Amino acid sequence: MPLPTLARVYPGTPRHLAALARRLRAGELVAVPTETVYGLAANALDARACRKIFTAKGRPSRDPLIVHLLSASELEQVAESNAAARRLAEKFWPGPLTLVLPKKKIVPDVVTAGRPSVAVRVPSHRLFRRLLKLAGVPLAAPSANAFGYVSPTTAEHVRLGLGRKIRHILDGGAARIGLESTIVDLRDPARPRLLRPGAITRRELELALRKKIATARSASRDPESARGELAPGMLARHYSPRTPVAVHKNFPRGTAKLKNEAWVTIARPAGRAAKNIFWLDARGDLRGAARRLFALLRELDAGGFKKIHVELARGGGLAEAINDRLRRAAAR
Ligand code: TXA
Ligand code: MG
């Protein structure tokens, strides 16, 4: 049921942070800024509070949530850790990396969608960290968008999507990274697997663990992944605007003549660009492109185009994460 009033957007003053922390402890939902995308947070140890996340997002209850901690030293409280996890935590936390590990009993089943594993990350966003500290409990949070839609990278995106479903949004500015965290399955530390590419790249993880990291999809012997349920956020169709999206290795020549279709390149094209040509970063810097991607998809979705064409990023590293989101946006 929609709420009668629109969610309020709060600045991160000490007074507002204290009030929002109290609300979280009391079992309410608060949308929070993170360095990756905005999240919809609840006390991770309160099953009733976490159930509200699924209702507000229209998220299926089989899609588990990520538990956010203030520090890696709290990891053992919610998960069964191992040497590989400690190594990655030391190197990449606080930051955009989520680890999947066997869960401890204290984590309610609703958070993990009934799985014996839990996804955990220590975020780096300054205001989210202050809120975590004041709340004094781990916070479960998926991205703060309606299920299946593009993740929000500003407080305004959250308000537009969930403004009538939630009451409180903490404004921490535009997300610095703009793509959801990298997720690594470390349940078996001898066989780490990449469940979702992100700003911490496969190469960085491999260097840290001195090991090849397979993509979960190829590990079909795992009974969970064979049923397509290992990382439900990996649903082929996800992060999708309503407007159909098509991805291209290279744009065919002359296509921009179709005025009712939008064309998105990674870098600014040479010469004068037609009105229906857009780019993610003037110089083609992939970090800039990642930061802009979801906001541009939202703008174009509202722009009345019949189709959005996007050029795939080249190279490894962040390109893998950008192209992953583009392919999901394009999947029907
Ligand atoms: O950057 C991020 O990760 C953001 C911010 C808010 O931290 N969160 C986020 O959550 O993107 P979201 O909406 O992607 O949902 C969490 C995803 C699930 O869809 C699933 O793919 C994965 O995390 N996940 C959670 N628990 C899992 C588990 N036990 N096993 C495998 N995957 C899990
Ligand atoms: Mg999400």
Side-chain angles (χ1 to χ4, degrees):
M1 263 236 302
L3 297 170
T5 54
L6 259 185
R8 212 176 132 191
V9 179
Y10 303 80
T13 64
R15 185 170 64 85
H16 287 119
L17 288 170
L20 292 173
R22 267 198 307 278
R23 299 208 181 260
L24 283 165
R25 274 203 307 273
E28 290 188 52
L29 302 183
V30 177
V32 296
T34 92
E35 69 276 27
T36 57
V37 299
Y38 274 68
L40 183 56
N43 176 355
L45 306 181
D46 178 345
R48 252 191 74 214
C50 291
R51 252 178 248 123
K52 296 180 188 168
I53 293 178
F54 290 87
T55 313
K57 276 189 60 118
R59 185 181 179 101
S61 57
R62 67 187 138 76
D63 195 354
L65 310 176
I66 295 175
V67 174
H68 298 75
L69 306 175
L70 183 61
S71 128
S73 64
E74 299 165 18
L75 181 57
E76 298 280 350
Q77 290 171 29
V78 294
E80 219 63 75
S81 190
N82 56 50
R86 280 187 289 273
R87 181 180 280 265
L88 293 187
E90 190 182 326
K91 200 151 171 64
F92 300 110
W93 282 353
L97 176 68
T98 297
L99 304 178
V100 172
L101 292 164
K103 88 173 193 76
K104 293 242 169 108
K105 258 220 193 85
I106 191 172
V107 182
D109 284 336
V110 55
V111 170
T112 64
R115 280 152 216 275
S117 60
V118 63
V120 188
R121 109 176 166 91
V122 174
S124 68
H125 192 286
R126 190 179 54 92
L127 289 185
F128 188 19
R129 294 185 59 74
R130 285 173 61 191
L131 193 60
L132 270 165
K133 189 165 190 184
L134 290 166
V137 290
L139 295 175
S143 51
N145 51 288
F147 181 71
Y149 197 64
V150 184
S151 292
T153 54
T154 66
E156 181 60 12
H157 291 162
V158 180
R159 206 178 56 88
L160 285 170
L162 297 180
R164 297 250 173 225
K165 311 273 185 187
I166 62 175
R167 290 179 193 281
H168 317 291
I169 304 172
L170 173 60
D171 190 350
R176 181 173 60 80
I177 292 169
L179 298 177
E180 304 84 348
S181 61
T182 304
I183 307 183
V184 186
D185 179 0
L186 280 178
R187 287 173 306 161
D188 177 358
R191 277 172 63 228
R193 293 185 305 168
L194 189 63
L195 301 186
R196 178 171 75 185
I200 305 291
T201 64
R202 186 193 296 268
R203 181 99 187 97
E204 287 178 281
L205 297 169
E206 290 179 342
L207 281 173
L209 292 179
R210 296 195 200 94
K211 222 184 220 103
K212 278 277 168 207
I213 298 187
T215 296
R217 262 160 296 185
S218 62
S220 54
R221 270 175 307 174
D222 183 288
E224 277 188 304
S225 76
R227 291 204 312 273
E229 290 176 357
L230 184 67
M234 292 178 62
L235 289 172
R237 180 170 163 71
H238 211 74
Y239 315 110
S240 302
R242 280 170 288 268
T243 314
V245 174
V247 295
H248 305 264
K249 277 221 172 89
N250 292 294
F251 281 160
R253 282 190 173 278
T255 31
K257 287 189 187 116
L258 299 168
K259 290 276 176 274
N260 56 359
E261 303 194 1
W263 297 82
V264 181
T265 57
I266 302 290
R268 180 187 192 138
R272 246 189 61 206
K275 275 215 170 93
N276 58 335
I277 307 229
F278 304 84
W279 52 89
L280 288 168
D281 183 85
R283 289 171 303 129
D285 173 48
L286 291 186
R287 273 174 303 185
R291 200 178 296 137
R292 177 94 179 100
L293 177 62
F294 288 158
L296 183 61
L297 286 179
R298 282 167 178 264
E299 284 165 31
L300 297 179
D301 208 13
F305 292 104
K306 269 177 54 190
K307 196 162 191 172
I308 304 170
H309 299 272
V310 194
E311 174 192 42
L312 290 165
R314 262 164 236 170
L318 247 190
E320 187 180 3
I322 292 173
N323 291 346
D324 169 78
R325 303 313 189 274
L326 290 177
R327 291 204 173 92
R328 286 176 208 285
R332 288 280 123 178

